Amino acid sequence: MALLLQMGSSYCIRTEIFRHKSGQNVGLSRANNIEAAKLKENCIGFSSVSCYSPRKTQIFHVDNAVLGHKRGHSVIVAASPPTEDAVIVTEPLTKEDLVGYLASGCKPKENWRIGTEHEKFGFELKTLRPMKYEQIAELLNGISERFDWEKVMEGDKIIGLKQGKQSISLEPGGQFELSGAPLETLHQTCAEVNSHLYQVKAVTEEMGIGFLGIGFQPKWRIKDIPIMPKGRYEIMRNYMPKVGTLGLDMMFRTCTVQVNLDFSSEADMIRKFRAGLALQPIATALFANSPFTEGKPNGFLSMRSQIWTDTDNNRTGMLPFVFDDSFGFEQYVDYALDVPMYFVYRKKKYIDCTGMTFRDFLAGKLSCIPGELPTLNDWENHLTTIFPEVRLKRYLEMRGADGGPWRRLCALPAFWVGILYDEVALQNVLDITADWTPEERQMLRDKVPITGLKTPFRDGLLKHVAQDVVKLAKDGLERRGFKESGFLNEVAEVVRTGVTPAERLLELYNGKWGQQIDPVFEELLY
């Protein structure tokens, strides 16, 4: 589903949802065979819209999230709540529609926002054991009642909360995730984090529950981790051991912090995607914070990052094709079409479609639901099951960092905003990384989880590149004019010394803690 915006000879697909003042549904136009070169034109600055419409597609407005419906104070959702209203398409989707969906993320710079997501481990303060689902349900209900959040239900189970454009969700092992609203400044982002932690602590202090800011569960085995009652996770849990050795560790024992950022055009997306991928190992090193497994050092600075190297290679990694001259929205769609699916959501149930592809789905050839065709909701859900180091939706997600204490939750978006939202910093990064080979980028990806900033790179260490990059980020933040550069103080100290957060934890473990792991729960308690 797409509107075709035309200006001169350049085109940009914009996916929009409109309702006429009369209340009638508006037909959508679809552009066929739009060349990638034309898509690369800027998507902004159109004062008028002309619709090229080879055929019309009816759409229907759906209130709430993912084919959900309101019922009192609850919303039934399919998976991760989408950012906008859901859509049912009455004619078959084409690949051009899927390209148009991604291209609809283009927005002028004045509309760029910062969306931060972070996960944390809940645990019982007395026993240090992970929170059970029943405790998590009590927490979610408590936050909902005290702070006016809508409940997100799956069947009769509460699995999340929603308030405006913020949402709280559960990861497979009960990791508690805040998906923040799209905000204008890092000050707002940090205020949102602080507000969230205040609300969580207001409820959990009465429950004897704390939260740990770390990238990998430091003490407990997989069999000690409670399983969350979410249908999509059951499908993933059964599938993961078939495609890698560490997928269940990823699901049940990792926590991350990530930032979601906008782009103005396809060309802008490409530049940011390439800079993000090239620098992702530096972000992994700066925020490395997962050196323990089951009570002992695991030999890695970022065990969380290492786990992604053997989770499911069909949907993870550094995506070398992003650096091809032909790369654009269409090439990412081609990649995503062939990433094996996990599920389709129908009639409030998850249907196992593992091993089949969205390309098959477009052709009505899914054996799990034979003859059925996908909606854009299905496409949106499928995109959430792809896990590269940088992920494209209608925005770009920087996915390479370990979870950590609250100050670092503000530092991660500061790092990426300073680089990707400032033209000078972005161009400098592209210049620095322009001659990095695919083999060098992969080498950094492979070695950084072990050696962090001390990873040898060309004639020096990765630390030296990181120092330059953090300086670029700081300058970029200062040029934004919001006095945000102070949020980088946490990583400035890391690059100055070359000592990652994980290495500091190991120093404590081998020194003050007497090689006992339990003190980490106090050290990194929110």
Side-chain angles (χ1 to χ4, degrees):
M1 61 174 230
L3 286 180
L4 180 69
L5 302 190
Q6 183 174 354
M7 185 175 71
S9 61
S10 66
Y11 298 83
C12 180
I13 293 179
R14 298 294 298 270
T15 308
E16 301 287 357
I17 301 168
F18 293 101
R19 172 170 271 185
H20 194 269
K21 288 180 180 177
S22 68
Q24 294 178 335
N25 298 318
V26 178
L28 290 183
S29 305
R30 176 180 285 118
N32 290 315
N33 301 320
I34 295 177
E35 298 172 10
K38 291 180 178 177
L39 268 172
K40 288 176 182 174
E41 299 291 336
N42 201 304
C43 298
I44 62 175
F46 298 101
S47 58
S48 63
V49 176
S50 60
C51 295
Y52 169 77
S53 48
R55 63 189 178 88
K56 298 288 184 181
T57 300
Q58 287 295 107
I59 65 163
F60 303 92
H61 188 283
V62 181
D63 290 317
N64 297 308
V66 198
L67 303 181
H69 67 274
K70 223 167 186 180
R71 199 172 58 191
H73 210 54
S74 301
V75 181
I76 310 299
V77 302
S80 302
T83 52
E84 296 179 9
D85 291 340
V87 172
I88 302 169
V89 179
T90 60
E91 289 190 29
L93 290 175
T94 68
K95 187 174 116 174
E96 286 74 22
D97 295 325
L98 309 184
V99 173
Y101 174 86
L102 295 180
S104 72
C106 297
K107 46 178 68 76
K109 185 170 184 176
E110 59 266 25
N111 292 339
W112 291 355
R113 296 294 181 265
I114 305 162
T116 304
E117 302 180 25
H118 76 268
E119 302 163 355
K120 49 206 168 291
F121 293 108
F123 66 95
E124 298 174 350
L125 290 171
K126 287 185 179 178
T127 67
L128 305 183
R129 287 196 158 274
M131 288 178 75
K132 304 178 185 71
Y133 170 72
E134 292 72 21
Q135 294 167 310
I136 292 172
E138 182 183 347
L139 171 57
L140 290 171
N141 282 314
I143 293 173
S144 173
E145 290 156 10
R146 295 191 196 189
F147 301 105
D148 197 29
W149 289 69
E150 279 188 308
K151 297 177 184 179
V152 180
M153 310 293 292
E154 185 169 316
D156 60 354
K157 303 285 189 183
I158 185 169
I159 60 165
L161 300 171
K162 192 165 172 48
Q163 186 181 77
K165 293 186 176 182
Q166 296 181 81
S167 63
I168 295 171
S169 59
L170 300 183
E171 293 303 296
Q175 303 96 317
F176 209 68
E177 178 177 7
L178 173 70
S179 296
L183 301 171
E184 290 186 56
T185 73
L186 292 164
H187 298 289
Q188 294 169 353
T189 293
C190 214
E192 177 186 66
V193 169
N194 286 332
S195 173
H196 169 71
L197 293 176
Y198 167 78
Q199 292 181 12
V200 168
K201 289 171 74 171
V203 179
T204 55
E205 281 178 352
E206 299 169 4
M207 299 170 57
I209 296 294
F211 279 93
L212 179 68
I214 199 167
F216 188 78
Q217 167 56 250
K219 183 177 175 73
W220 302 103
R221 299 164 295 179
I222 284 183
K223 68 179 186 179
D224 299 318
I225 310 294
I227 295 172
M228 296 299 106
K230 294 178 73 169
R232 65 185 286 169
Y233 293 153
E234 182 179 358
I235 291 169
M236 291 172 66
R237 194 169 70 247
N238 293 332
Y239 181 68
M240 283 295 184
K242 301 174 184 177
V243 291
T245 65
L246 299 175
L248 296 180
D249 282 305
M250 179 278 291
M251 291 179 64
F252 290 98
R253 298 204 286 182
T254 63
C255 278
T256 187
V257 54
Q258 69 179 53
V259 64
N260 307 324
L261 299 173
D262 291 314
F263 42 81
S264 63
S265 66
E266 186 173 44
D268 187 44
M269 178 278 292
I270 293 167
R271 297 171 77 232
K272 288 173 175 170
F273 209 148
R274 289 173 178 168
L277 277 173
L279 296 187
Q280 212 61 222
I282 289 178
T284 299
L286 291 173
F287 292 87
N289 192 43
S290 47
F292 305 117
T293 299
E294 296 174 16
K296 297 177 182 177
N298 52 36
F300 296 92
L301 301 179
S302 177
M303 184 63 180
R304 183 208 61 83
S305 182
Q306 177 65 19
I307 279 167
W308 281 110
T309 66
D310 194 10
T311 290
D312 181 350
N313 289 337
N314 287 320
R315 65 184 76 245
T316 61
M318 292 290 282
L319 305 187
F321 66 86
V322 171
F323 295 87
D324 293 347
D325 291 341
S326 61
F327 178 69
F329 291 126
E330 183 177 359
Q331 286 70 26
Y332 193 86
V333 167
D334 279 329
Y335 159 71
L337 282 173
D338 293 320
V339 171
M341 295 177 64
Y342 283 153
F343 59 80
V344 171
Y345 188 78
R346 292 290 184 274
K347 297 179 181 178
K348 302 180 189 175
K349 291 190 182 299
Y350 289 92
I351 300 168
D352 188 334
C353 296
T354 51
M356 305 167 215
T357 69
F358 210 91
R359 199 179 295 276
D360 295 332
F361 200 2
L362 276 184
K365 295 179 179 177
L366 283 194
S367 58
C368 56
I369 47 171
E372 280 209 39
L373 295 170
T375 68
L376 279 176
N377 284 330
D378 295 318
W379 180 238
E380 184 174 52
N381 280 335
H382 178 56
L383 291 176
T384 70
T385 69
I386 301 172
F387 308 122
E389 293 296 288
V390 177
R391 179 163 65 186
L392 176 62
K393 296 181 182 174
R394 287 184 287 183
Y395 45 83
L396 285 166
E397 299 179 353
M398 303 295 121
R399 296 174 43 82
D402 287 3
W406 77 266
R407 286 188 182 276
R408 263 181 259 146
L409 301 182
C410 303
L412 187 277
F415 175 77
W416 287 115
V417 167
I419 291 165
L420 299 183
Y421 274 8
D422 178 75
E423 181 57 34
V424 175
L426 175 57
Q427 187 57 54
N428 278 326
V429 164
L430 291 169
D431 291 343
I432 289 170
T433 60
D435 66 344
W436 292 11
T437 66
E439 293 75 20
E440 285 177 320
R441 292 192 297 268
Q442 188 61 48
M443 178 277 293
L444 291 175
R445 169 69 186 90
D446 293 340
K447 292 191 175 180
V448 156
I450 305 167
T451 50
L453 293 172
K454 297 177 178 67
T455 303
F457 186 67
R458 296 194 171 180
D459 296 330
L461 299 176
L462 189 62
K463 167 187 171 181
H464 303 129
V465 184
Q467 288 171 336
D468 293 340
V469 169
V470 170
K471 177 66 164 60
L472 290 174
K474 184 173 184 291
D475 292 345
L477 290 178
E478 289 175 351
R479 280 189 290 270
R480 271 169 57 84
F482 295 119
K483 297 185 178 179
E484 299 165 316
S485 59
F487 291 114
L488 279 177
N489 289 347
E490 286 289 302
V491 294
E493 179 65 11
V494 174
V495 292
R496 185 186 68 79
T497 62
V499 179
T500 63
E503 288 165 301
R504 295 201 181 282
L505 291 177
L506 288 167
E507 288 174 12
L508 288 168
Y509 174 86
N510 289 312
K512 181 180 173 184
W513 298 351
Q515 298 190 336
Q516 298 296 311
I517 197 61
D518 290 1
V520 77
F521 287 85
E522 184 175 351
E523 180 73 22
L524 297 180
L525 177 71
Y526 283 107

